[in-house]
């Protein structure tokens, strides 16, 4: 039975009812819907808008409804229009007139806006905890290989030697910003729309500060139209989640490269890899690939939210019901990715000998070789050119900077002496840049 009776002379068309219904998505907010109703009913009684007896009965029965849903004694009706209708219907079924008084001075528009803000606090906290977990895992992994030198890349060409700790530390920096972004968005989300009514506030002497405080909000939304129409927090959170996926996707791409036989810098534990149905030798990095792939879903959720909102006149429009599918999917996807990722990183093995061998092979210390000449008084641009010629010579003769004889160095530039070999040792290159080794 819909909430909106009286005006209509016909039952809703079945397909229309299904199309209109959001219960499949919003039933997961039943606790928040009930908490919002408890705060509202208690406030109505305190303000003398409903009698103390009705207020008490509503609050007590809402508690029972919540417990019954949690225990499975009460099944949420999949044919209900939404969770708000279901809870009110059930309350009225149990209490009669007192139940019908709950919606005094309130609309589903401020109700759903309140529920969603309350609901999203939990996934924000969960994602933050997972991000902290991944950060710790990366730091521990780096600490496991304290002296690991690897090639640092630009354009995926060997550039300068770095440590594994330096490389993984870049992801730690990204995750720290991610944690900060979620908490920043969660702070802005924490104002109460309850009391905005359908859009224009209410004629009843409600106490918005009271319900806001009871529900743990920092403040009340100061404009009632904005109270019901604002979904910025969904967009902000979906954007923060999208960036998390960008970071996970970039890390995934590197994991996939590192696990290839061409790189062989790392190996995933068997428990976190998969095989091929036809090629017996295969060990595939499916998890990082799926994480990389799922980034598209989360970006899609963000785009969906932005597009859904951009043309809406104030205040509430039914389009906004689409918000929950998008933001729930974004949170669920990121949670799933992080949950799978952490143990995968924990158990993966790096192969520092291979990383060092790759770093030793590609003239990665050429900048340091030029810096050696700068130390002898040569301007950097001249030193750069001299070393460039030496690199070209090495390529022609099959040498590396380490194996080229000193007289050939000196033929290119007389300022070279045998100190150059110490200067281009990878450990020294890394240490001179302030990296612990
Ligand atoms: N299910 C709706 C939503 O998620 C609740 C608000 C409905 N309000 C209305 N006036 N139809 O947005």
């Amino acid at each position: 039975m819909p909430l909106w009776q009286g005006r209509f002379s016909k039952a809703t068309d079945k397909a229309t009812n299904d199309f209109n219904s959001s219960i499949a998505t919003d039933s997961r907010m039943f606790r928040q819907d009930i908490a919002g109703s408890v705060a509202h009913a208690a406030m109505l009684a305190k303000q003398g808008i409903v009698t103390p007896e009705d207020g008490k009965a509503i609050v007590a029965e809402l508690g029972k409804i919540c417990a019954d849903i949690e225990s499975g004694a009460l099944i949420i009706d999949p044919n209900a229009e939404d969770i708000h209708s279901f809870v009110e219907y059930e309350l009225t079924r149990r209490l009669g007139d007192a139940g019908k008084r709950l919606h005094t001075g309130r609309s589903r528009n401020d109700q759903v806006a309140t529920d969603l803000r309350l609901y999203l606090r939990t996934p924000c906290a969960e994602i933050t905890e997972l991000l902290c977990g991944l950060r710790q895992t990366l730091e521990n992994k780096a600490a496991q290989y304290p002296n690991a030198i690897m090639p640092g890349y630009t354009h995926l060409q060997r550039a300068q030697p770095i440590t594994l700790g330096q490389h993984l530390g870049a992801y730690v920096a990204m995750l720290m910003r991610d944690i900060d972004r979620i908490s920043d968005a969660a702070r802005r989300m924490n104002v109460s729309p309850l009391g905005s009514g359908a859009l224009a506030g209410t004629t009843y002497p409600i106490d918005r500060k009271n319900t806001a405080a009871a529900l743990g909000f920092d403040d009340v939304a100061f404009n009632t139209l904005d109270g019901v129409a604002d979904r910025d927090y969904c967009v902000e959170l979906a954007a923060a989640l999208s960036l998390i996926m960008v970071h996970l996707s970039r890390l995934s791409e590197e994991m996939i490269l590192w696990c290839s036989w061409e790189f062989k810098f790392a190996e995933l534990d068997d428990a976190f890899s998969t095989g091929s149905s036809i090629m017996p030798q295969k060990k595939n990095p499916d998890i990082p690939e799926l994480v990389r792939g799922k980034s598209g879903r989360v970006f899609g959720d963000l785009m969906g939210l932005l597009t859904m909102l951009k043309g809406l006149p104030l205040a509430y429009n039914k389009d906004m019901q689409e918000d929950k599918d998008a933001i729930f999917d974004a949170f669920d996807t990121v949670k799933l990715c992080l949950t799978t990722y952490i143990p995968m990183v924990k158990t993966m093995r790096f192969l520092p000998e291979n990383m060092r061998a790759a770093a030793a092979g590609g003239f990665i210390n050429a900048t340091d070789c030029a810096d050696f000449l700068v130390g002898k008084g040569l301007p950097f641009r001249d030193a750069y050119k001299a070393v460039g010629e030496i690199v070209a010579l090495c390529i022609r003769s099959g040498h590396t900077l380490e194996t080229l004889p000193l007289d050939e160095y000196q033929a290119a530039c007389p300022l070279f002496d045998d100190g150059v070999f110490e200067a281009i040792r990878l450990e020294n290159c890394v240490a001179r840049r302030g990296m612990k080794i």
Side-chain angles (χ1 to χ4, degrees):
M1 191 71 75
L3 293 173
W4 24 272
Q5 293 172 59
R7 164 79 173 76
F8 292 82
S9 56
K10 278 187 185 170
T12 319
D13 170 72
K14 168 83 174 94
T16 298
N17 194 54
D18 293 347
F19 183 67
N20 194 45
S21 166
S22 56
I23 192 83
T25 301
D26 60 27
S27 57
R28 62 157 99 179
M29 303 196 302
F30 76 89
R31 286 190 190 84
Q32 291 71 24
D33 192 69
I34 289 170
S37 290
V38 165
H40 181 67
M43 180 276 293
L44 290 180
K46 186 179 143 287
Q47 297 297 101
I49 302 167
V50 299
T51 62
E53 298 73 44
D54 279 351
K56 246 199 183 137
I58 294 170
V59 169
E61 203 57 47
L62 283 169
K64 286 186 201 152
I65 291 175
C66 191
D68 287 350
I69 297 175
E70 278 172 347
S71 73
L74 175 63
I75 307 289
I76 296 174
D77 179 3
N79 296 311
E81 188 183 348
D82 52 30
I83 190 62
H84 329 294
S85 325
F86 175 75
V87 172
E88 191 183 323
Y89 174 81
E90 181 61 20
L91 186 72
T92 303
R93 196 184 65 76
R94 294 182 182 201
L95 290 186
D97 282 355
K100 292 190 211 160
R101 294 204 164 92
L102 170 63
H103 213 52
T104 315
R106 186 178 74 168
S107 157
R108 270 187 302 166
N109 297 350
D110 56 349
Q111 193 178 350
V112 70
T114 306
D115 291 4
L116 187 53
R117 285 173 191 250
L118 290 176
Y119 180 87
L120 291 176
R121 285 176 189 169
T122 304
C124 282
E126 289 168 347
I127 293 293
T128 301
E129 201 182 315
L130 285 165
L131 290 169
C132 291
L134 181 55
R135 177 197 164 169
Q136 192 58 56
T137 306
L138 288 170
E139 282 175 349
N140 294 347
K141 190 50 66 178
Q144 228 177 300
Y145 303 93
N147 298 320
I149 290 182
M150 65 184 289
Y153 297 87
T154 62
H155 314 270
L156 205 55
Q157 304 286 321
R158 290 169 192 170
Q160 288 174 343
I162 55 170
T163 62
L164 179 63
Q166 226 175 333
H167 199 114
L168 296 183
Y171 289 98
V172 169
M174 295 176 222
L175 295 176
M176 285 168 68
R177 289 196 297 276
D178 290 331
I179 292 167
D180 198 40
R181 257 187 292 272
I182 296 278
S183 98
D184 187 46
R187 178 181 56 76
R188 242 187 315 282
M189 176 171 75
N190 205 32
V191 294
S192 173
L194 197 57
S196 298
L199 78 164
T202 170
T203 53
Y204 297 94
I206 60 168
D207 182 350
R208 293 190 59 191
K209 287 212 154 67
N210 171 286
T211 47
L215 294 169
F217 285 113
D218 298 325
D219 206 347
V220 297
F222 73 85
N223 179 285
T224 57
L225 277 82
D226 186 54
V228 294
D230 172 29
R231 294 293 183 275
D232 289 3
Y233 55 96
C234 293
V235 173
E236 287 188 41
L237 287 171
L241 293 169
S242 293
L243 271 172
I244 295 172
M245 289 307 289
V246 168
H247 299 152
L248 290 183
S249 187
R250 291 181 80 168
L251 180 55
S252 295
E253 171 67 17
E254 304 218 80
M255 300 266 185
I256 294 160
L257 283 174
W258 291 343
C259 288
S260 71
W261 280 69
E262 283 68 18
F263 273 79
K264 250 189 174 301
F265 286 2
E267 198 184 340
L268 295 179
D269 191 84
D270 279 3
F272 296 90
S273 321
T274 47
S276 151
S277 63
I278 171 173
M279 297 166 281
Q281 85 284 11
K282 289 300 285 292
K283 177 168 167 182
N284 293 331
D286 282 26
I287 293 179
E289 287 173 51
L290 262 176
V291 168
R292 191 177 56 182
K294 281 182 190 291
S295 60
R297 277 181 83 110
V298 180
F299 306 163
D301 293 327
L302 171 63
M303 284 307 130
L305 282 165
L306 287 167
T307 313
M308 177 273 285
L309 287 168
K310 81 174 182 64
L312 296 187
L314 290 175
Y316 177 83
N317 299 269
K318 188 74 172 195
D319 316 44
M320 290 161 75
Q321 181 165 286
E322 292 289 310
D323 59 358
K324 284 170 284 304
D325 275 324
I327 194 67
F328 292 169
D329 180 70
F331 268 112
D332 292 349
T333 305
V334 175
K335 192 172 154 189
L336 189 65
C337 290
L338 285 168
T339 309
T340 320
Y341 223 85
I342 292 171
M344 182 195 77
V345 175
K346 231 176 234 171
T347 53
M348 73 186 286
R349 213 160 56 87
F350 280 94
L351 303 165
E353 325 72 48
N354 294 353
M355 298 194 303
R356 199 188 185 293
F363 304 103
I364 204 159
N365 39 11
T367 316
D368 300 82
C369 191
D371 288 343
F372 176 81
L373 291 179
V374 172
K376 300 283 177 197
L378 199 64
F380 178 76
R381 195 47 65 206
D382 295 336
Y384 173 100
K385 183 161 177 274
V387 175
E389 284 162 12
I390 288 170
V391 168
L393 173 72
C394 284
I395 291 170
R396 279 198 306 275
S397 59
H399 274 294
T400 66
L401 290 181
E402 285 84 355
T403 62
L404 190 74
L406 182 59
D407 56 342
E408 302 216 25
Y409 268 106
Q410 287 170 332
C413 177
L415 288 173
F416 276 116
D417 59 41
D418 63 1
V420 67
F421 296 108
E422 210 28 45
I424 62 170
R425 255 192 49 215
L426 297 184
E427 284 72 14
N428 290 334
C429 301
V430 167
R432 263 203 310 275
R433 290 184 175 80
M435 281 309 114
K436 267 222 313 279
I437 183 93

